Amino acid sequence: PYAPAVRAEPALDLLGDGGGAPRTAAEPSGGAACGGRATLLAVVGGKMSEGINFADELGRCVVMVGLPYPNLRDPELVERMAFLNARQAANAKARATLNSDGGGGGGGGLATAAQRYYEGLCMRAVNQSIGRVIRHAADYAAIVLLDARYEQPRVQSKLPAWIRQSLGARKSAAAAAVAMREFFHERSRGGDCLAR
């Protein structure tokens, strides 16, 4: 059987508390429940995406790599998007008839109904993933959005306001690590820091 080669790299100490001797991926940490550290990797939309809490010390960081758009070849999605576009076209035709008779009316947005629906599915998945670790008002976690598209106002507008107010772009991994260390250091002192 095929067994991929694994090369253990020393872990970054982003919490800034030393955490004892550096451990590598090959050395188990004992898990978060035992006072250690653990890393969970999951696919958006997989088994870890809904209904599981990682509140408080069980989860302190979510890293979203890319935007989790659904598969455009999914037959159910194709049909739903076709229906939304057909309904939007019928509504636009009805508005045009009203406008030609001197009635009211207004134009739709630049995106089609199907495009808005498709993007909404993606951003709902992002928000649900973030919500796995932030479960109540006093809970906190670092949220790392790794994709330049998160800087677009259209995408940011679909994030909750409490996340939008604390967004800050970092141009390097080192700058992001410094911001995360400051965030966790402030939280460990009991502050209500929003790292920008």
Side-chain angles (χ1 to χ4, degrees), residues 27-38:
E27 298 175 69
S29 68
C34 298
R37 295 186 185 147

Side-chain angles (χ1 to χ4, degrees), residues 147-169:
D147 194 307
R149 293 173 291 180
Y150 284 110
E151 293 185 72
Q152 296 173 355
R154 185 185 82 256
V155 173
Q156 287 184 12
S157 71
K158 292 175 177 62
L159 292 169
W162 60 271
I163 292 175
R164 284 195 312 268
Q165 72 185 4
S166 59
L167 286 175

